[in-house]
Short mmCIF file of all heavy atoms in Angstrom, two decimals:
data_model
loop_
_atom_site.label_atom_id
_atom_site.label_comp_id
_atom_site.label_asym_id
_atom_site.label_seq_id
_atom_site.Cartn_x
_atom_site.Cartn_y
_atom_site.Cartn_z
N ARG A 19 116.79 74.74 90.87
CA ARG A 19 116.02 75.96 91.08
C ARG A 19 116.01 76.31 92.56
O ARG A 19 116.14 77.49 92.91
CB ARG A 19 114.59 75.77 90.58
CG ARG A 19 113.70 76.98 90.79
CD ARG A 19 112.31 76.76 90.22
NE ARG A 19 111.45 77.91 90.47
CZ ARG A 19 111.37 78.98 89.71
NH1 ARG A 19 112.13 79.09 88.62
NH2 ARG A 19 110.55 79.97 90.02
N THR A 20 115.87 75.34 93.41
CA THR A 20 115.87 75.58 94.84
C THR A 20 117.20 76.14 95.31
O THR A 20 117.26 77.12 96.05
CB THR A 20 115.55 74.29 95.62
OG1 THR A 20 114.24 73.82 95.25
CG2 THR A 20 115.58 74.54 97.11
N PHE A 21 118.29 75.56 94.88
CA PHE A 21 119.61 75.99 95.28
C PHE A 21 120.02 77.33 94.70
O PHE A 21 120.76 78.08 95.35
CB PHE A 21 120.64 74.93 94.93
CG PHE A 21 120.61 73.71 95.83
CD1 PHE A 21 121.32 72.58 95.47
CD2 PHE A 21 119.91 73.72 96.99
CE1 PHE A 21 121.31 71.45 96.28
CE2 PHE A 21 119.88 72.60 97.83
CZ PHE A 21 120.59 71.46 97.46
N SER A 22 119.55 77.67 93.53
CA SER A 22 119.95 78.90 92.87
C SER A 22 119.18 80.11 93.34
O SER A 22 119.62 81.25 93.19
CB SER A 22 119.83 78.77 91.34
OG SER A 22 118.47 78.60 90.96
N SER A 23 118.00 79.92 93.92
CA SER A 23 117.14 81.02 94.31
C SER A 23 116.82 81.09 95.79
O SER A 23 116.08 81.97 96.22
CB SER A 23 115.84 80.96 93.52
OG SER A 23 115.12 79.78 93.80
N ASN A 24 117.37 80.20 96.58
CA ASN A 24 117.02 80.12 97.98
C ASN A 24 118.24 80.08 98.90
O ASN A 24 119.31 79.65 98.51
CB ASN A 24 116.18 78.85 98.25
CG ASN A 24 114.78 78.98 97.74
OD1 ASN A 24 113.92 79.52 98.43
ND2 ASN A 24 114.53 78.48 96.54
N VAL A 25 118.03 80.55 100.10
CA VAL A 25 118.94 80.26 101.19
C VAL A 25 118.61 78.86 101.70
O VAL A 25 117.45 78.51 101.89
CB VAL A 25 118.80 81.29 102.32
CG1 VAL A 25 119.63 80.87 103.52
CG2 VAL A 25 119.21 82.66 101.83
N MET A 26 119.63 78.04 101.89
CA MET A 26 119.47 76.72 102.45
C MET A 26 119.94 76.72 103.89
O MET A 26 120.94 77.36 104.22
CB MET A 26 120.26 75.69 101.64
CG MET A 26 119.92 75.66 100.15
SD MET A 26 118.22 75.14 99.84
CE MET A 26 118.27 73.46 100.45
N ALA A 27 119.23 76.00 104.74
CA ALA A 27 119.54 76.01 106.15
C ALA A 27 119.38 74.66 106.79
O ALA A 27 118.68 73.78 106.27
CB ALA A 27 118.67 77.04 106.89
N TRP A 28 120.04 74.50 107.92
CA TRP A 28 119.87 73.33 108.77
C TRP A 28 119.30 73.77 110.11
O TRP A 28 119.77 74.75 110.71
CB TRP A 28 121.20 72.60 108.99
CG TRP A 28 121.71 71.91 107.77
CD1 TRP A 28 122.60 72.39 106.87
CD2 TRP A 28 121.36 70.60 107.33
NE1 TRP A 28 122.83 71.44 105.88
CE2 TRP A 28 122.08 70.34 106.13
CE3 TRP A 28 120.52 69.60 107.83
CZ2 TRP A 28 121.98 69.14 105.43
CZ3 TRP A 28 120.42 68.41 107.11
CH2 TRP A 28 121.14 68.19 105.94
N PHE A 29 118.29 73.04 110.55
CA PHE A 29 117.70 73.22 111.87
C PHE A 29 117.77 71.89 112.60
O PHE A 29 117.98 70.84 112.00
CB PHE A 29 116.25 73.67 111.76
CG PHE A 29 116.07 75.10 111.31
CD1 PHE A 29 116.20 75.45 109.98
CD2 PHE A 29 115.75 76.08 112.24
CE1 PHE A 29 116.03 76.77 109.57
CE2 PHE A 29 115.57 77.39 111.83
CZ PHE A 29 115.72 77.74 110.50
N ARG A 30 117.58 71.93 113.90
CA ARG A 30 117.52 70.70 114.68
C ARG A 30 116.47 70.83 115.78
O ARG A 30 116.16 71.91 116.24
CB ARG A 30 118.88 70.34 115.27
CG ARG A 30 119.40 71.32 116.32
CD ARG A 30 120.80 70.94 116.71
NE ARG A 30 121.35 71.80 117.77
CZ ARG A 30 122.59 71.74 118.22
NH1 ARG A 30 123.44 70.83 117.72
NH2 ARG A 30 122.99 72.56 119.19
N GLN A 31 115.95 69.69 116.19
CA GLN A 31 114.94 69.67 117.23
C GLN A 31 115.16 68.46 118.14
O GLN A 31 115.09 67.32 117.69
CB GLN A 31 113.54 69.61 116.62
CG GLN A 31 112.42 69.76 117.63
CD GLN A 31 111.07 70.00 116.97
OE1 GLN A 31 110.87 69.68 115.80
NE2 GLN A 31 110.15 70.58 117.71
N ALA A 32 115.44 68.73 119.40
CA ALA A 32 115.58 67.68 120.40
C ALA A 32 114.23 67.40 121.03
O ALA A 32 113.33 68.22 120.99
CB ALA A 32 116.59 68.14 121.47
N PRO A 33 114.08 66.21 121.64
CA PRO A 33 112.79 65.88 122.28
C PRO A 33 112.37 66.93 123.30
O PRO A 33 113.15 67.30 124.17
CB PRO A 33 113.08 64.53 122.94
CG PRO A 33 114.18 63.94 122.13
CD PRO A 33 115.04 65.11 121.72
N GLY A 34 111.13 67.38 123.20
CA GLY A 34 110.60 68.36 124.12
C GLY A 34 111.08 69.78 123.90
O GLY A 34 110.74 70.67 124.71
N LYS A 35 111.88 70.01 122.87
CA LYS A 35 112.43 71.33 122.58
C LYS A 35 111.85 71.90 121.30
O LYS A 35 111.35 71.16 120.44
CB LYS A 35 113.95 71.26 122.47
CG LYS A 35 114.65 70.72 123.72
CD LYS A 35 114.60 71.71 124.85
CE LYS A 35 115.43 71.21 126.04
NZ LYS A 35 116.87 71.09 125.71
N GLU A 36 111.95 73.21 121.15
CA GLU A 36 111.57 73.87 119.91
C GLU A 36 112.65 73.66 118.86
O GLU A 36 113.83 73.45 119.17
CB GLU A 36 111.32 75.36 120.15
CG GLU A 36 110.15 75.68 121.04
CD GLU A 36 108.83 75.29 120.42
OE1 GLU A 36 108.67 75.41 119.18
OE2 GLU A 36 107.94 74.85 121.16
N ARG A 37 112.25 73.73 117.61
CA ARG A 37 113.20 73.65 116.51
C ARG A 37 114.14 74.86 116.57
O ARG A 37 113.68 75.99 116.70
CB ARG A 37 112.44 73.59 115.19
CG ARG A 37 113.29 73.17 114.01
CD ARG A 37 112.40 72.94 112.79
NE ARG A 37 111.48 71.83 112.99
CZ ARG A 37 110.57 71.45 112.10
NH1 ARG A 37 110.46 72.09 110.94
NH2 ARG A 37 109.76 70.43 112.38
N GLU A 38 115.45 74.61 116.44
CA GLU A 38 116.40 75.70 116.52
C GLU A 38 117.32 75.74 115.29
O GLU A 38 117.62 74.72 114.69
CB GLU A 38 117.27 75.58 117.80
CG GLU A 38 118.18 74.38 117.81
CD GLU A 38 119.14 74.41 119.01
OE1 GLU A 38 119.36 75.48 119.57
OE2 GLU A 38 119.67 73.33 119.35
N PHE A 39 117.75 76.94 114.97
CA PHE A 39 118.62 77.20 113.84
C PHE A 39 120.01 76.63 114.12
O PHE A 39 120.55 76.79 115.21
CB PHE A 39 118.69 78.70 113.59
CG PHE A 39 119.68 79.13 112.53
CD1 PHE A 39 119.37 78.99 111.19
CD2 PHE A 39 120.89 79.70 112.89
CE1 PHE A 39 120.26 79.40 110.22
CE2 PHE A 39 121.79 80.10 111.93
CZ PHE A 39 121.46 79.96 110.58
N VAL A 40 120.61 76.00 113.10
CA VAL A 40 121.97 75.48 113.19
C VAL A 40 122.92 76.28 112.29
O VAL A 40 123.94 76.78 112.75
CB VAL A 40 122.03 74.00 112.80
CG1 VAL A 40 123.47 73.49 112.77
CG2 VAL A 40 121.19 73.15 113.78
N GLY A 41 122.56 76.41 111.03
CA GLY A 41 123.40 77.16 110.09
C GLY A 41 122.70 77.32 108.77
O GLY A 41 121.71 76.65 108.49
N SER A 42 123.23 78.21 107.90
CA SER A 42 122.62 78.46 106.61
C SER A 42 123.68 78.85 105.60
O SER A 42 124.79 79.26 105.96
CB SER A 42 121.54 79.55 106.69
OG SER A 42 122.10 80.79 107.11
N ILE A 43 123.31 78.73 104.32
CA ILE A 43 124.21 79.09 103.22
C ILE A 43 123.41 79.69 102.09
O ILE A 43 122.33 79.21 101.76
CB ILE A 43 125.02 77.86 102.76
CG1 ILE A 43 126.07 78.26 101.70
CG2 ILE A 43 124.10 76.77 102.24
CD1 ILE A 43 127.09 77.17 101.40
N ASN A 44 123.94 80.76 101.49
CA ASN A 44 123.37 81.34 100.29
C ASN A 44 123.94 80.61 99.09
O ASN A 44 125.17 80.54 98.95
CB ASN A 44 123.70 82.85 100.22
CG ASN A 44 123.03 83.56 99.07
OD1 ASN A 44 123.26 83.22 97.90
ND2 ASN A 44 122.18 84.52 99.38
N TRP A 45 123.06 80.06 98.23
CA TRP A 45 123.55 79.23 97.14
C TRP A 45 124.47 79.98 96.19
O TRP A 45 125.53 79.46 95.81
CB TRP A 45 122.37 78.63 96.36
CG TRP A 45 122.83 77.60 95.39
CD1 TRP A 45 122.81 77.69 94.03
CD2 TRP A 45 123.40 76.32 95.70
NE1 TRP A 45 123.33 76.55 93.49
CE2 TRP A 45 123.69 75.69 94.49
CE3 TRP A 45 123.67 75.65 96.90
CZ2 TRP A 45 124.26 74.43 94.43
CZ3 TRP A 45 124.24 74.40 96.86
CH2 TRP A 45 124.52 73.81 95.62
N ILE A 46 124.06 81.19 95.78
CA ILE A 46 124.91 82.02 94.93
C ILE A 46 125.69 82.98 95.84
O ILE A 46 125.10 83.82 96.52
CB ILE A 46 124.07 82.81 93.91
CG1 ILE A 46 123.31 81.85 93.00
CG2 ILE A 46 124.98 83.73 93.10
CD1 ILE A 46 122.42 82.55 92.00
#
């Protein structure tokens, strides 16, 4: 259900830094 109805993404966070976008994919 999650994969079929959602965009999936990867984020990353280094020490002392804000979380940043890495990449995303549309399941369908």
Side-chain angles (χ1 to χ4, degrees):
R19 179 178 178 85
T20 299
F21 285 168
S22 65
S23 62
N24 286 275
V25 173
M26 304 295 297
W28 290 94
F29 288 78
R30 66 186 182 185
Q31 187 168 22
K35 302 288 185 64
E36 294 294 324
R37 193 171 297 178
E38 67 172 340
F39 174 78
V40 175
S42 63
I43 185 168
N44 185 299
W45 189 249
I46 300 178

